[in-house]
Amino acid sequence: SMKVNLHVILISACFELRRGCDEGLLFIGGDGGNGQLADLHLLTSEGWCSDIDLPALPAPLSNPSAYFSSENYGRLVVCGFQGPTPCMQTRPGDAQWSSLTGLPQQERKPSKTQTDSKWPPSPYESTNQNLQMVFDDSSLQMLTMIATNFNGSFEGKFLGLSDWSDRWLEIEPSSIELDAYISSGVRKNLTGSCFTKTSAGDSSMSEFFNQFMIIGGQYEENSFGTMSTMTGSDRTVGKLRVPGSNPSESQSWTTDSSLMNEGRENPACMGILDEGHPRVLVAGGLDFQREWGSAASPSGGPPTSYHSDFYNSLRSTELYNGTDWVNGPIMHRARTGAKLVQFCGEIMVVGGHQTSGRYIYEQQGTEILLKDEVSTEYHDSIEKLEAGLDEGHWELHNAFLPRKMSNFALTKVGEAGVLCKDLSSPIKCVEDGLFPTGPCNADYIECSGGKVFHRHCHPGLFFNSEHYACDFPSNIESCGMK
């Protein structure tokens, strides 16, 4: 299997990221306007990496999800592949990918109210599974994922993957089925939802710590009996307290009583710790409305079948504090399929596309009326949030993505040098083992197979160079407490 060798112009001379930041951002797959992408791009504080120590993607991907774990010599998990193994994994230095098992059997399943039709489907409709991942850094300490069917995904499963396992397992409560906001009994379609988690913390200090959230997506209803059906972008949020965080609390996925100010499909979302308080930031997404059905002819002729779509990508953002949604700062670009990330101390929204216009299809007998006024523009721009969440504003970053792209996976890499061969480490591994970085320090170095891995002890512990393990400072002579 060939190695990824991305020759991208370095822009470190004008890159306004914090120097000394070791983090990286790994971009995987996505859409580029002319189809699905099979690209890997790694952004570091020095610029774009030209030599990534990963095998090439086995296939192009649209709407994938990914997570890179720095534990156990690094592991990259990517979900969204077509076929019987939607999730695959690889490690730095590997020549190929291997499969992860345990996902529920997927099938193409239409919504319960939609019937087969002879009309052409909208060319802008997604047919991808919603397989989104987020790491739980509280009690579960594992990678978690929501897994749905394809379009028409009213039900989902909640799954977990431990660091040493190659198999996804269901986490109770594993079944996800949520109501939408329109009226009682109208269900939430998980297609286009954004999956995130609030920060880990003491739930006695704030009930909003340690919560999983499924934000936005679609709703569907039979609004005019059986002759017509409407779908659109949803304002609701599903939530679940981290299982086990409160043993006395019954666990179930529920629809939050607080609605977003706007319906959003395929938005960007992220849990943030803001001055010690957990919050959620949501950016952009698609304001989408669809109506289809049939209408009787007033002259007694054949009925008219119709299908009408309206698209409008959003520039707005919203903030949630566990009680209320409030409007956030407006972005410079309308963005659907973008990603939010906190990278090297900055909150950024990255890439995406803007879709706007109408798509109308009508058929009466043999007469067909088709209007396609939908336009889509892909972005390579990055915006950063200045002056904080409440009083801040978005500014266009001086850096750009290597290409215009949307619907990609984005995962942080704690130590960019683990994946980027461009970044030569001043530390050379002569032998395998664990080594201190200084006296009474929580950071230490792990050498394995000639590679350097930067490790960090849990809060309150420091590296004990006598026992080669994290320990209490009272047991370490160099901490002056022994």
Side-chain angles (χ1 to χ4, degrees):
S1 176
M2 61 177 288
K3 289 284 183 179
V4 175
N5 189 12
L6 297 176
H7 299 286
V8 182
I9 298 175
L10 288 177
I11 53 175
S12 58
C14 62
F15 218 82
E16 296 177 354
L17 291 175
R18 191 182 69 208
R19 291 293 180 175
C21 171
D22 296 326
E23 295 175 347
L25 290 180
L26 183 62
F27 296 73
I28 300 160
D31 298 318
N34 295 316
Q36 299 180 0
L37 304 176
D39 298 345
L40 296 176
H41 302 286
L42 178 63
L43 176 62
T44 76
S45 62
E46 302 296 323
W48 293 98
C49 180
S50 64
D51 193 359
I52 303 175
D53 194 16
L54 291 170
L57 283 176
L61 287 172
S62 176
N63 282 306
S65 182
Y67 181 76
F68 183 82
S69 170
S70 298
E71 299 297 322
N72 306 322
Y73 318 118
R75 174 168 76 161
L76 175 63
V77 175
V78 178
C79 294
F81 294 97
Q82 301 295 319
T85 55
C87 290
M88 304 188 78
Q89 64 177 346
T90 192
R91 298 180 184 275
D94 281 0
Q96 58 188 8
W97 296 73
S98 60
S99 299
L100 293 170
T101 60
L103 284 176
Q105 184 65 40
Q106 304 294 322
E107 59 179 336
R108 293 187 179 274
K109 183 175 68 171
S111 61
K112 291 188 176 182
T113 56
Q114 186 174 3
T115 57
D116 293 335
S117 69
K118 298 179 181 179
W119 319 322
S122 165
Y124 311 101
E125 182 176 10
S126 170
T127 57
N128 289 277
Q129 293 172 254
N130 193 340
L131 299 171
Q132 294 190 58
M133 296 181 284
V134 63
F135 185 77
D136 172 39
D137 54 354
S138 54
S139 60
L140 292 179
Q141 287 291 312
M142 66 169 57
L143 184 59
T144 61
M145 178 172 66
I146 56 170
T148 72
N149 284 304
F150 290 85
N151 54 314
S153 300
F154 291 105
E155 302 94 13
K157 291 292 184 182
F158 185 44
L159 308 170
L161 179 71
S162 61
D163 217 34
W164 290 99
S165 177
D166 295 335
R167 181 176 179 81
W168 291 95
L169 299 174
E170 292 188 10
I171 303 173
E172 294 298 333
S174 62
S175 179
I176 307 171
E177 186 171 356
L178 299 165
D179 293 330
Y181 82 97
I182 293 294
S183 60
S184 176
V186 178
R187 292 184 299 169
K188 183 183 188 71
N189 188 325
L190 301 177
T191 297
S193 296
C194 188
F195 181 45
T196 192
K197 179 189 167 294
T198 62
S199 300
D202 185 352
S203 297
S204 65
M205 301 295 293
S206 171
E207 292 185 356
F208 196 39
F209 279 120
N210 309 323
Q211 285 196 9
F212 293 102
M213 301 184 72
I214 301 176
I215 299 173
Q218 295 181 3
Y219 71 87
E220 182 173 310
E221 64 168 341
N222 274 112
S223 55
F224 306 111
T226 59
M227 296 292 289
S228 179
T229 302
M230 292 186 66
T231 68
S233 301
D234 190 38
R235 295 169 56 196
T236 60
V237 176
K239 64 179 183 179
L240 171 72
R241 183 77 61 105
V242 171
S245 58
N246 186 350
S248 64
E249 183 180 47
S250 60
Q251 299 288 340
S252 63
W253 286 94
T254 59
T255 301
D256 193 46
S257 58
S258 297
L259 303 178
M260 289 189 294
N261 297 316
E262 295 182 272
R264 299 175 188 268
E265 182 183 353
N266 203 10
C269 66
M270 178 175 65
I272 299 174
L273 192 62
D274 181 31
E275 297 182 351
H277 301 285
R279 303 179 76 178
V280 168
L281 173 63
V282 178
L286 184 66
D287 177 10
F288 165 72
Q289 299 292 328
R290 167 175 295 166
E291 182 178 346
W292 72 93
S294 60
S297 170
S299 61
T304 299
S305 300
Y306 62 91
H307 175 122
S308 174
D309 292 347
F310 171 80
Y311 301 85
N312 180 38
S313 292
L314 300 171
R315 294 172 53 206
S316 60
T317 67
E318 298 188 43
L319 292 162
Y320 186 59
N321 60 9
T323 305
D324 301 302
W325 287 95
V326 296
N327 292 326
I330 301 296
M331 297 182 293
H332 287 263
R333 305 280 187 268
R335 298 178 187 268
T336 300
K339 291 292 185 289
L340 274 168
V341 67
Q342 195 162 11
F343 176 52
C344 290
E346 294 183 329
I347 295 175
M348 300 179 176
V349 60
V350 182
H353 65 276
Q354 178 177 351
T355 298
S356 59
R358 296 186 306 167
Y359 174 83
I360 299 173
Y361 181 92
E362 295 182 1
Q363 180 174 355
Q364 183 178 24
T366 59
E367 295 184 8
I368 295 176
L369 171 65
L370 176 63
K371 290 184 179 180
D372 188 348
E373 302 169 343
V374 179
S375 63
T376 298
E377 176 187 358
Y378 285 79
H379 299 313
D380 59 2
S381 58
I382 300 172
E383 299 186 38
K384 60 180 179 179
L385 186 63
E386 295 284 356
L389 290 172
D390 294 306
E391 305 296 331
H393 61 277
W394 294 98
E395 286 190 5
L396 287 170
H397 208 289
N398 67 319
F400 294 88
L401 301 180
R403 65 181 300 165
K404 294 182 177 182
M405 54 195 292
S406 182
N407 297 323
F408 46 83
L410 180 61
T411 179
K412 286 179 68 171
V413 180
E415 182 72 26
V418 172
L419 291 182
C420 183
K421 294 182 179 180
D422 301 345
L423 303 177
S424 58
S425 173
I427 302 171
K428 302 296 181 184
C429 285
V430 179
E431 59 179 318
D432 289 354
L434 305 179
F435 303 93
T437 59
C440 197
N441 201 323
D443 297 316
Y444 62 98
I445 298 295
E446 179 178 0
C447 287
S448 177
K451 291 188 175 183
V452 177
F453 298 90
H454 294 262
R455 304 301 190 199
H456 190 79
C457 295
H458 286 294
L461 301 181
F462 297 83
F463 184 73
N464 189 328
S465 57
E466 294 182 5
H467 300 288
Y468 303 100
C470 293
D471 202 348
F472 292 103
S474 58
N475 298 326
I476 303 173
E477 185 173 358
S478 60
C479 289
M481 301 176 63
K482 190 171 181 179

